[in-house]
Amino acid sequence: MSEGQHNTMAHGLDAALHARHVAMIAIGGIIGAGLFVGSSTSIAQIGPAVVVSYGLAGLVILMIMRMLSEMAMLHPGAGSFTEHVRIGLGPLAGFVAGWLYWYFWVIVVAIEAIAGAVILAMWLPFAVWQIGCVLLALMTVVNLFSARSYGEFEFWLSAAKVAAIIGFIVIAGLWAFGITSRGGNTFANLTAHGGFAPKGWGAVIGGVTSVIFALCGAEIATVAAAESHAPAKVIARMTGSVALRILLFYVLSLILIVAVQPWNTVVPGQSPFASSLALMGIPAASTIMNAVVLVAVLSCLNSGLYVTSRALFGLARHGDAPQALIRLNKRKVPARATIIASLFGYGAMAASVLSPEGVFSFLVSASGALMLVIYLMVCLAQVRMRRVTEATAPETLHLRMWLFPWLSYATIGAIGVVLCAMALVPELRPQFVASAATVGIAAAAWFIFRRQRT
């Protein structure tokens, strides 16, 4: 029996995804509007040394992906990466991680639907909320068809994003090296406006707290891999290239942005890719970038719906969510879990229209630090699982975390530092407090839920 067949039988889900789908889903998870637009805020706050912030954050994500790979090889039929938290730390941790992950992505679904609608509203004569509802409905339909339709849709959306970034790197590289620019190479911009780290190295380290969220999403591939033909092998093969993707797509494109234009001319909230293309005289630069950002947003919306439905399905399998959600349609898709994710997305979008500064602002803040908490639980689960495996069955360790236990501890420490920084920085403190409350509510729900069941 192949690993893919084992997985289909274990979960009831269809092993319909291929390695190319899972690889592109990993890339698509990392490249979102956070790179194309959100990086402008980081550049304005840090300066050219923003590339160091992204590099450090990328290292943390790489370590987490390597830990997930080790656990996936030990338990190839586990499914979603939150299931490894359950195996390593027990049912309470599995319950909390599963529901936090579901909540995080439900909020992302609403945010991305609104972001896509804002772009389309520039070209279409409809209200933002109306376009947002249509986008969410379209992506819900894609996800209801089959895992294969989700994978194929995501493959082409991610391919378009990759093509856009490679195109930008080529155009900006030719300009920065003085091949197409009139005044010769422009790398002097890296140090000409207050130095490489004009706001100091404290700002560079502090910047990791905000840029790390732009890099969240690589773990979606571990969820999708559970519906591929060889999940453990697929995940293991991907981890080495995740670092290369982060280096290529984030660090290289950002170095070129701050080389092409002075960092202090980047406007927070506006795409630095668009302003760089405009400076280089590329016609219709803003329209091109709006189209690319729209693709990135649709990709994230598509993945958000997929991952929320699978997280809910996984919770239901363990009795941590209503059992009706285990039901699959004839295409082996957890349709009810997908529709519930979609409905919550509509609810969050309604909150953004009716109470943008109140309810919606709180919902977004409450999801702010959740991915870091989930990643922290993944690290703790890996350390515990590795200790148990080394004591009982060391021969099953086919893929190992590098320099264990030191790199595992260093990653735990790095996440702890970022969470502490969020608690101490006034602008980030509301997110930290609201996220901590969300974690507390999830833990309390488990105790209430368990008491009812027993």
Side-chain angles (χ1 to χ4, degrees):
M1 184 185 294
S2 75
E3 202 173 2
Q5 288 171 317
H6 165 77
N7 215 51
T8 310
M9 291 174 66
H11 299 289
L13 300 171
D14 190 18
L17 298 176
H18 295 290
R20 68 180 177 90
H21 294 128
V22 180
M24 273 300 188
I25 288 164
I27 296 176
I30 299 169
I31 305 168
L35 171 62
F36 293 117
V37 181
S39 56
S40 60
T41 304
S42 301
I43 293 169
Q45 289 173 346
I46 299 166
V50 69
V51 294
V52 178
S53 301
Y54 274 98
L56 291 171
L59 277 176
V60 173
I61 300 298
L62 173 65
M63 296 303 125
I64 291 160
M65 289 297 288
R66 182 70 180 186
M67 289 186 225
L68 281 171
S69 298
E70 180 183 292
M71 292 189 285
M73 288 293 274
L74 286 171
H75 301 278
S80 167
F81 81 105
T82 53
E83 294 305 303
H84 298 300
V85 174
R86 184 183 297 274
I87 295 166
L89 301 178
L92 168 59
F95 179 95
V96 171
W99 278 110
L100 292 184
Y101 195 59
W102 178 84
Y103 175 73
F104 175 85
W105 278 103
V106 160
I107 299 302
V108 169
V109 162
I111 292 169
E112 298 296 336
I114 293 163
V118 167
I119 294 168
L120 285 171
M122 295 189 289
W123 304 319
L124 300 173
F126 300 104
V128 168
W129 69 268
Q130 292 171 324
I131 299 171
C133 288
V134 172
L135 288 180
L136 189 48
L138 285 172
M139 290 303 145
T140 303
V141 169
V142 167
N143 275 271
L144 286 173
F145 270 117
S146 67
R148 180 66 182 270
S149 69
Y150 156 72
E152 205 61 44
F153 202 79
E154 190 58 27
F155 177 84
W156 291 108
L157 288 175
S158 293
K161 289 191 284 189
V162 170
I165 290 183
I166 291 171
F168 176 83
I169 287 170
V170 170
I171 293 167
L174 290 171
W175 181 276
F177 281 102
I179 296 166
T180 53
S181 61
R182 297 182 201 90
N185 88 67
T186 60
F187 283 106
N189 280 328
L190 293 174
T191 54
H193 306 278
F196 184 64
K199 303 291 181 80
W201 286 98
V204 176
I205 303 302
V208 175
T209 56
S210 53
V211 304
I212 198 164
F213 293 105
L215 299 170
C216 292
E219 79 293 327
I220 295 174
T222 69
V223 181
E227 291 178 71
S228 75
H229 294 287
K233 294 191 187 78
V234 169
I235 298 171
R237 204 180 304 135
M238 283 184 328
T239 48
S241 55
V242 165
L244 188 63
R245 291 165 190 154
I246 291 169
L247 188 71
L248 177 66
F249 297 138
Y250 273 84
V251 176
L252 193 52
S253 56
L254 287 169
I255 282 177
L256 289 171
I257 285 169
V258 290
V260 167
Q261 63 175 322
W263 69 270
N264 49 10
T265 62
V266 173
V267 180
Q270 294 182 13
S271 172
F273 288 80
S275 56
S276 292
L277 289 171
L279 186 146
M280 291 184 284
I282 304 298
S286 62
T287 304
I288 292 167
M289 281 319 299
N290 279 330
V292 171
V293 173
L294 180 62
V295 168
V297 160
L298 291 177
S299 163
C300 205
L301 179 55
N302 186 37
S303 288
L305 276 170
Y306 172 81
V307 85
T308 45
S309 67
R310 294 329 188 255
L312 207 49
F313 174 76
L315 287 163
R317 276 180 55 236
H318 290 285
D320 291 339
Q323 293 302 287
L325 299 174
I326 297 177
R327 289 282 295 277
L328 303 175
N329 64 16
K330 61 185 178 183
R331 290 176 291 274
K332 296 184 178 179
V333 170
R336 293 176 180 178
T338 303
I339 290 166
I340 283 178
S342 180
L343 290 174
F344 270 86
Y346 282 116
M349 277 209 302
S352 77
V353 175
L354 301 172
S355 179
E357 298 303 317
V359 177
F360 187 68
S361 178
F362 174 78
L363 289 175
V364 173
S365 290
S367 70
L370 294 189
M371 276 312 300
L372 284 181
V373 173
I374 295 164
Y375 284 160
L376 184 62
M377 293 168 83
V378 166
C379 296
L380 295 170
Q382 184 266 336
V383 170
R384 188 161 184 219
M385 201 184 292
R386 176 69 173 266
R387 296 284 191 211
V388 170
T389 306
E390 285 180 339
T392 56
E395 70 281 358
T396 59
L397 279 167
H398 300 298
L399 187 147
R400 297 165 186 264
M401 174 61 183
W402 302 302
L403 298 176
F404 181 83
W406 309 114
L407 274 183
S408 296
Y409 290 151
T411 308
I412 291 168
I415 295 172
V417 167
V418 173
L419 287 171
C420 288
M422 288 189 74
L424 296 172
V425 175
E427 306 93 79
L428 298 174
R429 193 176 297 133
Q431 286 187 35
F432 178 83
V433 172
S435 298
T438 308
V439 175
I441 290 167
W446 185 79
F447 286 104
I448 295 165
F449 197 61
R450 186 179 65 165
R451 184 175 297 170
Q452 286 177 344
R453 280 200 296 183
T454 52

